Amino acid sequence: MFIKVNSFGLTGMDAYRVQVEIDLSRGMPAFEIVGLPDAAVKEARDRVRAALLNGGYTFPVGRVVANLAPASLRKVGSLYDLPLFVGLLRVAGALSCPLDDCAFLGELSLSGAVSRVNGVLPMVLKAREQGIRSVYVPAENAAEGAVAEGIDVYPVANVAELIAHLEGETPLTPTRAEPFVEGVSASTLLDYRDVKGQAAAKRALEIAAAGGHNLLMIGPPGSGKSMLAKRLPSILPPLTFEEAVEITKIHSIAGLLPPGASLVKTRPYRHPHHTVSAVALSGGTAVPRPGEVSLAHRGVLFLDELPEFSRQAMEVLRQPMEDGCVSIARASGTCTYPCSVMLVGAMNPCKCGYFGHPTRPCTCSPSSVARYLSRVSGPLLDRIDLHVEVMPVEFEKLSSQTKGEPSAAIRERVCRAREMQTQRYAGLGIGCNAHITTAMLGDFCAMTPAATALLGRAFDAMGLSARAYDRILKVARTIADLDGGGTIDAQHIAEAVQYRALDRKYWNR
């Protein structure tokens, strides 16, 4: 006897249909799984057999061969337990309902309980695209799968519930998606009102948030670099539904969604330790999975103590920062993950941290300072739009009881600027100024004659690269948007140029 059961698999961000084909023939009792399965899929033989027997069902007598088609793609994980279980019941004659428009995803315990798996949302979206009407998923994944409207997503806690539903005895109720509320209140986040002083750094962070720009903060220990970066999510614009789905797909594949969660509704903020490997940062391993740069998609990737990261880890970010995606090549194929992130770095100016400090002397030799700074390469530095110096706060400001400007007020300005950009780039696939292509600069970054002349003088005096020229224009466009959205003027260029001066102070002394 031969039957087919629908399931799905993942390759990178893309899902594909898997036909679980089961054949029962005469011969010595055996149960084989073919179709390029990994170790977790091969172990399904024991899990499914135990779940059948513990559920009171009889395992088919004869030679059972299960093929996971297409056999050319490697099948990974335990999500094929449930379709194998259903298929075995069909070939054993214990289940007779039609399954052509159904798909099954889930891991089985030996008792028959259905456990959560990773990547449910992208697989349910692909099932809807391919005309599947019903998908049966673990109960803990149901809210996530229900985000895909137009398809019935049934929560399954154990195999007894599933069989009772398929036989029409006790129908399950499809899970319905929660209404999406665009944005989450920033009141629960750390607030800039608690930051004393540092007006210049807060201004730079506002510009970075308004245009989606990369930023580097340089200053001595204790000046507030990490404190400033941790509050950046409180001024970022709210997520749209499309952005929330993108982020949720990545976190689902990585297994980072909490049980019962539906959509990720806050922008990611990832801050890996400086001992992180290049593979963990960019993504990879033998079975490719998203790295930190992809987990921060549409949010912030904060690298504290930037020079302490390995050179390989830092340099692996160069291509993703330019392209907004990272491609991982393995012998089995290539997969691509999106990584449109705001990179925020923080670093000391030297090993002891006090080079350039107004009151404390630096104990490092000039050669030691140069070696420390050289850990951040010029090409990486050139890809960071804003460089800002964060100096120690004076005692008067620290001891003052006056609160700073709240994040809510800054966020309003950021949202107004982002709304201008959304309207300006409608239909172009661009979300913010940081993503303007070189070909579009002439159309969207028009300058007054005074601004053009000032930028020309700065270009010659500072020896800027073509990439630095483009990034100054993009930052000036954001500053102009915060100023009302008109033509880029000399004052906008002047402010943008000052954020490219610190590499001359520290790296090109």
Side-chain angles (χ1 to χ4, degrees), residues 18-34:
V18 174
Q19 295 277 4
V20 180
E21 304 171 336
I22 298 181
D23 178 72
L24 175 62
S25 59
R26 293 181 179 179
M28 293 293 292
F31 183 15
E32 296 293 334
I33 299 177
V34 297

Side-chain angles (χ1 to χ4, degrees), residues 232-309:
L232 183 56
S234 68
I235 65 172
L236 293 177
L239 285 173
T240 64
F241 178 76
E242 292 74 18
E243 289 175 330
V245 170
E246 282 183 4
I247 297 168
T248 304
K249 287 171 66 176
I250 297 171
H251 285 239
S252 174
I253 291 168
L256 297 181
L257 282 184
S262 56
L263 282 174
V264 175
K265 296 182 180 179
T266 58
R267 292 190 181 273
Y269 177 83
R270 306 290 298 183
H271 47 99
H273 192 261
H274 59 76
T275 56
V276 67
S277 68
V279 171
L281 199 57
S282 64
T285 71
V287 178
R289 56 162 285 157
E292 290 290 337
V293 68
S294 294
L295 294 173
H297 180 58
R298 302 294 184 186
V300 177
L301 177 64
F302 177 47
L303 303 183
D304 200 7
E305 305 295 345
L306 185 62
E308 301 299 332
F309 285 77

Side-chain angles (χ1 to χ4, degrees), residues 460-479:
D460 294 334
M462 300 173 68
L464 297 173
S465 67
R467 181 181 289 113
Y469 169 84
D470 290 353
R471 292 184 180 274
I472 286 175
L473 271 183
K474 295 175 186 180
V475 172
R477 176 69 272 166
T478 300
I479 296 170

Side-chain angles (χ1 to χ4, degrees), residues 128-342:
R128 182 184 65 182
E129 180 184 317
Q130 297 199 351
I132 298 292
R133 296 178 59 187
S134 304
V135 181
Y136 298 87
V137 303
E140 292 181 342
N141 292 115
E144 166 194 349
V147 171
E149 297 182 351
I151 185 171
D152 289 333
V153 177
Y154 290 95
V156 181
N158 55 68
V159 293
E161 283 187 3
L162 175 63
I163 303 308
H165 169 82
L166 294 175
E167 292 289 0
E169 298 172 1
T170 310
L172 295 172
T173 303
T175 301
R176 298 304 175 197
E178 300 175 359
F180 178 74
V181 179
E182 188 175 20
V184 175
S185 173
S187 60
T188 58
L189 303 174
L190 296 173
D191 200 296
Y192 276 116
R193 72 167 68 240
D194 302 321
V195 178
K196 304 292 182 67
Q198 302 298 6
K202 286 191 280 189
R203 169 64 175 173
L205 286 160
E206 179 181 342
I207 294 169
H213 302 289
N214 302 321
L215 179 141
L216 175 64
M217 293 181 284
I218 309 173
S223 56
K225 301 184 295 295
S226 299
M227 184 180 187
L228 288 161
K230 289 176 181 177
R231 283 158 173 76
L232 183 56
S234 68
I235 65 172
L236 293 177
L239 285 173
T240 64
F241 178 76
E242 292 74 18
E243 289 175 330
V245 170
E246 282 183 4
I247 297 168
T248 304
K249 287 171 66 176
I250 297 171
H251 285 239
S252 174
I253 291 168
L256 297 181
L257 282 184
S262 56
L263 282 174
V264 175
K265 296 182 180 179
T266 58
R267 292 190 181 273
Y269 177 83
R270 306 290 298 183
H271 47 99
H273 192 261
H274 59 76
T275 56
V276 67
S277 68
V279 171
L281 199 57
S282 64
T285 71
V287 178
R289 56 162 285 157
E292 290 290 337
V293 68
S294 294
L295 294 173
H297 180 58
R298 302 294 184 186
V300 177
L301 177 64
F302 177 47
L303 303 183
D304 200 7
E305 305 295 345
L306 185 62
E308 301 299 332
F309 285 77
S310 69
R311 175 57 69 95
Q312 184 182 11
M314 284 191 286
E315 296 306 309
V316 83
L317 293 174
R318 286 164 53 178
Q319 176 264 336
M321 287 170 64
E322 287 289 310
D323 300 341
C325 62
V326 57
S327 297
I328 302 168
R330 293 292 182 269
S332 57
T334 302
C335 62
T336 301
Y337 295 107
C339 58
S340 179
V341 303
M342 282 179 59

Side-chain angles (χ1 to χ4, degrees), residues 1 52 57-58 86-97 163 167:
M1 184 177 180
L52 275 169
Y57 303 100
T58 302
V86 173
L88 288 171
L89 286 181
R90 285 292 304 275
V91 298
L95 189 64
S96 57
C97 62
I163 303 308
E167 292 289 0

